[in-house]
Amino acid sequence: MSTQAAVALVDWGTSNLRVWLVDAEAGVLGERQSPEGMGTLSPDRFAGVLESHLAALGAAPDLPAVVAGMAGARAGWIEAPYAETPAGLMELPRQAVAAPGTGRDVRILPGVCQRTAGAEDVMRGEETQLLGAVSNGLTDALFCLPGTHSKWVSLEEGRISRFSTVMTGELFQLFSRQSILRLSIGEGRASAGHPAFGEAVEEALDPDFSLTTRLFSIRARGLLAGADEASAASRLSGLLLGAEIAAMRPRLGPAQSVQLIGSGALTELYAAALLLAGVQTVSLDGGELVRKGLFAAARALYPQRFPEIAP
Amino acid sequence: MSTQAAVALVDWGTSNLRVWLVDAEAGVLGERQSPEGMGTLSPDRFAGVLESHLAALGAAPDLPAVVAGMAGARAGWIEAPYAETPAGLMELPRQAVAAPGTGRDVRILPGVCQRTAGAEDVMRGEETQLLGAVSNGLTDALFCLPGTHSKWVSLEEGRISRFSTVMTGELFQLFSRQSILRLSIGEGRASAGHPAFGEAVEEALDPDFSLTTRLFSIRARGLLAGADEASAASRLSGLLLGAEIAAMRPRLGPAQSVQLIGSGALTELYAAALLLAGVQTVSLDGGELVRKGLFAAARALYPQRFPEIAP
């Protein structure tokens, strides 16, 4: 087994940066994490920030680096134009863009866009997690990636055939903190164990359900029945997730299961809501998947650096 | 025709106060408007504010006053408990509550609540507009009252059988000013004449449409196609109104028409969206209806003051 670094892998999102040095067999030799996300940097600072982390890891000056995420957005380091759906994940590395300002070979992977009228959508970073899943052999599945902007992605034969961004986390924050519903939700926290959560999910799964015409019931219930804050928060979360799952149900394959990539409170709420909808979930580790996706891209971009594994 | 005041009529909402002196035949003898809404007053100030406006109108000290709106909320002048659906509008005056602190006879009309599980709802003020419609002979219809919190109200034989509050105006403001969509909407204004409005309404009328899973398309379209701000604002408005109309369609009676109470830009957008949905609209003046509703309540509460018209 080699202990020499074959490549640096970089997950550069809006609010975080992760760097790994890996050997030719994907073994992790070193790792760095930092809050120097793309959202905090001007374009001219990316090269210096990456170099400082690579130096701290003892990377050789000629070690190539593969980058995924918002660093490739228009306002990032350099724009890596989107691949379009249907987007073959194993083909993404071909569209990688060379990043300037550093002596080493740095390639930024593209995001994916969908130009379907009315369902226009974009992603940057999630496609690399999915490339990790594909390199693990998972080529046909429905994925759900909970977050401020959750993604639902259909994979067919290793290609992203269709995807949707749902502003779930952001909508929950807006409704519970800024709208009139804040008067009933206060500091209440949504809990999958609260009866109001399950009731709301079931309610929202009804084919005649309409979210916007039911939101105000949270406030009215507080006024009429004196519902507590945890109940109101759980009801809001259940209505949002139930409506989202109802919309995504037609995309479930014959296995009626969803690959859930994430961790934390929101992912737990998704898992509980999916269970109530009769949908099986498989939990996947997003950090591990992005590293695997970056590794698969590195193998495609620099085959000569992976002699033992290259086909 | 009498020119002597029979009663004072008061529409006291969250942000506005309107007072009319009317004679026994509903003729308006004087009128006052003020921004001294319920939201700006502590409970002990209502009596004094009303008295100052009645004095300015030259009302006699023993002239009774009938009040509708948020003045009857828990945090208002004095709580006038809700009547429950199905709520007979001609019977609302019986539940009026006497307001303290002034020498005259002042009665506050109740709001209406709906306790249906999952569709809990409340109104204060709109029921008096609907009482005005009923006193005009309009006893069976579907009403839409656009606003920050729009109301859809089904009237059957003069009773409110069912109603829904939709936070349309508030959601538009939240999404366009506070969410990530603000980056695409900027200072753009929604217009019923913009092609993006009509397209979005049609899209949202589709039975498989889901609002939360399509909102992000507004941002993505801005990124991918460089859509302008007016287009993005019109799309947001069309998606919201289309989803709302789709949810309310099952409540349309055989006439497939809606009584639209309101004026201004938002009401125009509703009228245009309803037209696109193949729904006829009849426009009604909300200010006139509330005065008629208050007058009908006054006749029921003080029959001796209306000798010519009392049955």
Side-chain angles (χ1 to χ4, degrees):
Chain A
M1 206 173 103
S2 163
T3 52
Q4 196 184 344
V7 67
L9 308 177
V10 184
D11 179 18
W12 211 324
T14 302
S15 43
N16 283 291
L17 166 65
R18 279 180 89 174
V19 183
W20 296 272
L21 288 200
V22 295
D23 64 24
E25 291 177 349
V28 176
L29 306 174
E31 180 179 350
R32 300 270 294 179
Q33 290 202 40
S34 149
E36 292 154 301
M38 167 269 196
T40 68
L41 300 176
S42 55
D44 60 330
R45 292 201 49 221
F46 285 82
V49 168
L50 179 60
E51 284 306 319
S52 74
H53 288 285
L54 290 177
L57 287 167
D62 64 342
L63 188 76
V66 181
V67 180
M70 290 299 285
R74 204 169 297 165
W77 190 349
I78 184 171
E79 185 175 10
Y82 297 110
E84 288 190 28
T85 55
L89 290 169
M90 295 300 282
E91 294 147 31
L92 289 183
R94 286 188 214 153
Q95 293 188 42
V97 167
T102 160
R104 76 180 73 236
D105 186 354
V106 178
R107 312 278 181 98
I108 305 187
L109 296 171
V112 174
C113 74
Q114 176 169 272
R115 295 188 185 271
T116 316
E120 291 89 348
D121 219 319
V122 292
M123 66 166 72
R124 275 205 192 270
E126 294 89 351
E127 74 295 325
T128 305
Q129 295 183 312
L130 297 170
L131 173 56
V134 167
S135 75
N136 275 355
L138 189 56
T139 56
D140 294 76
L142 176 60
F143 291 82
C144 173
L145 299 86
T148 302
H149 293 169
S150 297
K151 305 275 180 192
W152 289 78
V153 188
S154 296
L155 224 61
E156 295 178 40
E157 299 181 354
R159 308 180 84 78
I160 295 179
S161 55
R162 181 183 188 185
F163 69 102
S164 295
T165 300
V166 192
M167 295 158 52
T168 319
E170 181 169 7
L171 294 181
F172 185 85
Q173 288 298 319
L174 276 178
F175 293 159
S176 63
R177 303 275 171 253
Q178 311 276 342
S179 85
I180 192 166
L181 304 184
R182 75 187 186 282
L183 302 178
S184 295
I185 293 175
E187 297 300 314
R189 285 174 159 263
S191 158
H194 198 293
F197 177 79
E199 282 164 24
V201 170
E202 301 278 3
E203 201 177 314
L205 289 171
D206 185 287
D208 291 333
F209 177 77
S210 154
L211 180 69
T212 57
T213 63
R214 284 297 178 98
L215 277 177
F216 190 74
S217 68
I218 294 167
R219 175 66 182 142
R221 190 175 280 193
L223 289 170
L224 295 175
D228 61 277
E229 297 183 341
S231 167
S234 299
R235 178 165 172 76
L236 174 59
S237 176
L239 292 180
L240 282 169
L241 294 184
E244 180 174 336
I245 291 167
M248 293 301 148
R249 255 183 172 164
R251 302 190 192 174
L252 284 167
Q256 296 284 303
S257 70
V258 166
Q259 310 290 318
L260 200 54
I261 304 180
S263 59
L266 182 58
T267 302
E268 280 170 32
L269 291 166
Y270 268 86
L274 284 160
L275 186 67
L276 286 163
V279 179
Q280 288 199 317
T281 56
V282 179
S283 284
L284 300 174
D285 180 318
E288 193 182 312
L289 283 182
V290 77
R291 201 179 72 234
K292 288 196 175 176
L294 284 162
F295 185 79
R299 280 207 304 175
L301 288 166
Y302 308 105
Q304 72 286 2
R305 300 189 73 92
F306 302 87
E308 295 114 317
I309 308 176
Chain B
M1 207 172 105
S2 163
T3 54
Q4 198 185 342
V7 67
L9 307 177
V10 184
D11 178 19
W12 212 325
T14 302
S15 44
N16 283 291
L17 166 66
R18 279 181 90 174
V19 184
W20 296 273
L21 288 199
V22 296
D23 64 22
E25 290 176 351
V28 176
L29 306 174
E31 180 179 349
R32 301 269 295 179
Q33 289 202 39
S34 148
E36 292 155 302
M38 167 269 195
T40 68
L41 300 176
S42 55
D44 60 329
R45 291 200 51 219
F46 285 82
V49 168
L50 179 60
E51 284 305 321
S52 75
H53 287 286
L54 290 177
L57 287 168
D62 64 342
L63 188 76
V66 181
V67 180
M70 289 300 286
R74 203 170 297 165
W77 190 348
I78 184 172
E79 185 174 10
Y82 297 109
E84 287 191 29
T85 54
L89 290 168
M90 296 301 282
E91 295 146 31
L92 288 183
R94 288 189 211 152
Q95 293 190 42
V97 167
T102 162
R104 77 180 73 236
D105 187 354
V106 178
R107 312 276 181 98
I108 305 187
L109 295 172
V112 174
C113 74
Q114 176 170 271
R115 295 188 185 273
T116 316
E120 291 88 347
D121 220 319
V122 292
M123 65 166 73
R124 275 202 193 273
E126 294 89 350
E127 73 295 326
T128 305
Q129 296 181 310
L130 297 170
L131 173 55
V134 168
S135 75
N136 274 355
L138 189 56
T139 56
D140 294 76
L142 177 60
F143 292 82
C144 173
L145 300 87
T148 302
H149 294 168
S150 297
K151 305 275 181 192
W152 289 78
V153 188
S154 296
L155 225 60
E156 295 179 41
E157 299 180 354
R159 308 179 84 80
I160 295 178
S161 55
R162 182 183 187 184
F163 70 101
S164 296
T165 300
V166 192
M167 296 158 52
T168 319
E170 181 169 5
L171 294 182
F172 185 85
Q173 287 298 320
L174 277 178
F175 293 158
S176 62
R177 303 274 172 253
Q178 310 275 340
S179 85
I180 191 166
L181 304 184
R182 76 187 186 282
L183 302 177
S184 295
I185 292 175
E187 298 301 316
R189 284 174 160 263
S191 158
H194 198 292
F197 177 79
E199 281 165 24
V201 170
E202 302 278 3
E203 200 178 313
L205 289 171
D206 184 285
D208 291 333
F209 177 78
S210 155
L211 180 69
T212 56
T213 62
R214 284 296 179 99
L215 277 177
F216 190 73
S217 68
I218 295 167
R219 175 66 182 142
R221 191 176 279 192
L223 289 170
L224 295 175
D228 61 277
E229 297 183 342
S231 168
S234 299
R235 178 166 172 77
L236 174 59
S237 176
L239 292 180
L240 282 168
L241 294 184
E244 181 173 337
I245 291 166
M248 294 302 148
R249 254 182 171 164
R251 303 189 191 174
L252 283 166
Q256 295 285 305
S257 69
V258 166
Q259 311 289 317
L260 200 55
I261 304 181
S263 59
L266 182 58
T267 302
E268 280 169 33
L269 291 167
Y270 268 86
L274 284 161
L275 186 67
L276 285 164
V279 179
Q280 289 199 317
T281 56
V282 180
S283 282
L284 300 173
D285 182 319
E288 194 183 311
L289 283 181
V290 77
R291 202 179 71 233
K292 288 197 174 174
L294 284 162
F295 185 78
R299 280 209 303 176
L301 288 167
Y302 308 105
Q304 72 285 1
R305 300 189 72 92
F306 301 88
E308 294 115 315
I309 309 178

